[in-house]
Amino acid sequence: MIQTADRLQTIEEYYFSKKLREVRGMAAAGKPIINIGIGSPDLPPSEAVITSFQESVRHAGAHQYQSYQGLPELRETIAQFYKEKFNVDADPSNEILPLMGSKEGIMHISMAFLNQGDEVLIPNPGYPTYTSVTKLVGAVPRQYDLVSDNGWFPDLERLMQEDLSGVKLMWVSYPHMPTGAKANSSQLEKLVAFAKEHNILLVNDNPYSFVLSKSPLSILSVKGAKDTALELNSLSKTFNMAGWRVGMVLGNKENVNAILKVKSNMDSGMFYGIQKGAIEALKSGKEWFDQLDQTYEARRKLMFQLADKLQCTYDPNAVGMFVWAKLPATSQNSEDFIDRILHEKNIFIAPGTIFGSNGEGYIRFSLCVAESKIKEAIDRF
């Protein structure tokens, strides 16, 4: 047997990859499983997006290799979108790079900027991929605490008292996943100032900007942010295009070009039809965003009822497509709690612990579930 690379010893299979095998096995055995643990949008893209894709596959050159930087029209549309939605100016020729999903960007950014032994500040709780990718490239994860008492925002004063000389990169995510916490303009300014003072590359992972969020913000709207910050965004949640794999990274010319050096050695460009569909999505009007919020708002109200049934508490003002809920004090740990619900009620909920130790005592409900299924879950209690 060929020995695997040492780097694989530093990570485990993604939690959802393992757990969903169990959930699918139960469903195959006839269990009436309701999956409210995964944030995979169940709604379709707009008809305009689908039509654009269908028509584009007959265009001349549609099935050839595409530019590593994406279609100029796509970059220009991303620039227009960022200007309209965030009041951020970005040069489409060198400050925007389309990606095959923002998850790809996490790897590309890490490969572009991290050397062996570099330290990376990672939110706890936070997206598990930040940690696994950091380990895969040989850098050192260094978690910073996020707690409800501080609005799930880092205690920057406490961080500044630590030795940060080895820190190269810091991951943040506002609106925050998994808690749905928002950061205001003042907080984003503090993050940028912190990163500048300590010569840290700050990356805001921003895919939940437009889900139940009435005032979306970009970290690049902070004056001078491009000197020290990058921002990832995605069409997966906002436009129901998760399987299309379309994302983007924005920043200054030098940083974006560094990421391009990695990306151009790892793929051969995004399929033309997907890019054309993405362009159409980014041109969506107010009606699209209002309709999306109406759907998620109706689902969230029902999910609050389910959380109430479980005697959980939650922040009704959080945004994004999840409900982050605190278990009652008398409950067992998060993973035991969700396993009991799974096997007794055939309902899968994500345990907070998969997002870090500070997720202990919490569970996460996904809003990517039809109202009828949420009502059925409520009825099971």
Side-chain angles (χ1 to χ4, degrees):
M1 178 178 175
I2 302 298
Q3 185 68 35
T4 58
D6 291 344
R7 68 176 63 89
L8 289 188
Q9 306 306 312
T10 69
I11 61 170
E12 297 181 358
E13 183 182 2
Y14 194 44
Y15 172 85
F16 284 122
S17 175
K18 293 186 295 183
K19 195 65 177 180
L20 289 180
R21 279 201 298 273
E22 177 185 352
V23 173
R24 285 193 295 268
M26 294 176 66
K31 300 290 185 181
I33 297 295
I34 299 176
N35 186 342
I36 54 178
I38 303 297
S40 178
D42 59 314
L43 301 167
S46 71
E47 281 299 317
V49 168
I50 294 171
T51 299
S52 176
F53 174 82
Q54 291 171 329
E55 293 176 349
S56 69
V57 298
R58 298 190 181 278
H59 292 179
H63 304 284
Q64 296 176 341
Y65 289 125
Q66 300 297 313
S67 165
Y68 300 110
Q69 293 177 282
L71 294 171
E73 184 187 0
L74 175 55
R75 286 182 274 116
E76 289 162 5
T77 306
I78 292 170
Q80 293 164 5
F81 181 85
Y82 254 72
K83 180 61 177 177
E84 177 186 341
K85 303 298 184 183
F86 299 116
N87 196 29
V88 167
D89 291 306
D91 187 338
S93 67
N94 53 37
E95 293 187 329
I96 296 171
L97 181 62
L99 303 169
M100 295 179 186
S102 58
K103 191 173 186 178
E104 177 195 70
I106 296 171
M107 173 61 83
H108 290 352
I109 291 168
S110 298
M111 293 183 71
F113 293 99
L114 296 175
N115 293 314
Q116 187 89 14
D118 284 341
E119 295 180 348
V120 180
L121 291 174
I122 296 172
N124 176 13
Y127 188 31
T129 298
Y130 304 145
T131 296
S132 58
V133 167
T134 298
K135 291 178 177 179
L136 282 171
V137 300
V140 180
R142 181 168 161 179
Q143 294 189 337
Y144 62 89
D145 289 326
L146 300 179
V147 295
S148 60
D149 289 346
N150 201 41
W152 305 103
F153 189 77
D155 186 340
L156 296 178
E157 291 186 5
R158 179 178 176 182
L159 271 176
M160 286 189 284
Q161 294 173 6
E162 301 178 9
D163 179 8
L164 301 173
S165 59
V167 175
K168 185 77 169 289
L169 190 151
M170 179 179 187
W171 290 103
V172 296
S173 176
Y174 291 102
H176 182 245
M177 201 290 294
T179 69
K182 297 170 286 187
N184 58 38
S185 297
S186 175
Q187 289 174 315
L188 295 181
E189 289 171 2
K190 290 177 181 177
L191 283 170
V192 169
F194 170 82
K196 283 186 176 182
E197 181 176 349
H198 298 280
N199 196 29
I200 294 170
L201 178 64
L202 180 68
V203 188
N204 186 42
D205 191 11
N206 194 12
Y208 299 96
S209 324
F210 298 97
V211 181
L212 295 172
S213 178
K214 301 301 182 185
S215 53
L217 292 173
S218 165
I219 203 158
L220 299 181
S221 64
V222 175
K223 185 178 180 180
K226 286 182 190 174
D227 295 339
T228 194
L230 292 166
E231 181 157 280
L232 287 167
N233 216 316
S234 168
L235 275 65
S236 295
K237 321 299 183 184
T238 304
F239 299 106
N240 301 329
M241 297 170 69
W244 292 53
R245 308 313 303 137
V246 185
M248 65 208 75
V249 60
L250 295 88
N252 68 35
K253 175 182 177 180
E254 291 75 18
N255 288 341
V256 168
N257 189 56
I259 300 165
L260 177 60
K261 285 183 180 180
V262 174
K263 177 178 170 57
S264 63
N265 282 286
M266 296 188 70
D267 67 58
S268 297
M270 189 187 307
F271 179 56
Y272 176 86
I274 289 177
Q275 294 188 68
K276 296 295 282 188
I279 290 166
E280 191 65 36
L282 290 164
K283 293 178 179 179
S284 299
K286 183 176 183 295
E287 181 182 352
W288 169 261
F289 297 94
D290 289 345
Q291 181 182 18
L292 191 72
D293 276 353
Q294 287 172 10
T295 299
Y296 283 124
E297 182 62 41
R299 292 177 175 187
R300 185 169 65 172
K301 287 179 180 178
L302 289 171
M303 206 66 80
F304 286 162
Q305 293 180 34
L306 180 57
D308 291 338
K309 286 272 189 178
L310 296 174
Q311 299 181 308
C312 294
T313 54
Y314 46 83
D315 177 6
N317 298 313
V319 301
M321 55 175 51
F322 305 105
V323 171
W324 179 252
K326 187 174 183 179
L327 295 174
T330 55
S331 294
Q332 66 271 58
N333 67 54
S334 298
E335 293 192 26
D336 288 344
F337 183 90
I338 69 103
D339 279 341
R340 178 171 63 82
I341 299 299
L342 175 60
H343 293 286
E344 291 181 4
K345 304 294 183 181
N346 295 309
I347 299 171
F348 173 57
I349 306 166
T353 46
I354 66 177
F355 306 105
S357 59
N358 286 344
E360 181 59 89
Y362 292 86
I363 56 177
R364 191 194 73 173
F365 303 89
S366 168
L367 300 181
C368 301
V369 189
E371 289 183 47
S372 60
K373 285 295 182 182
I374 306 173
K375 291 176 181 177
E376 183 181 342
I378 293 170
D379 289 342
R380 291 185 187 180
F381 293 92

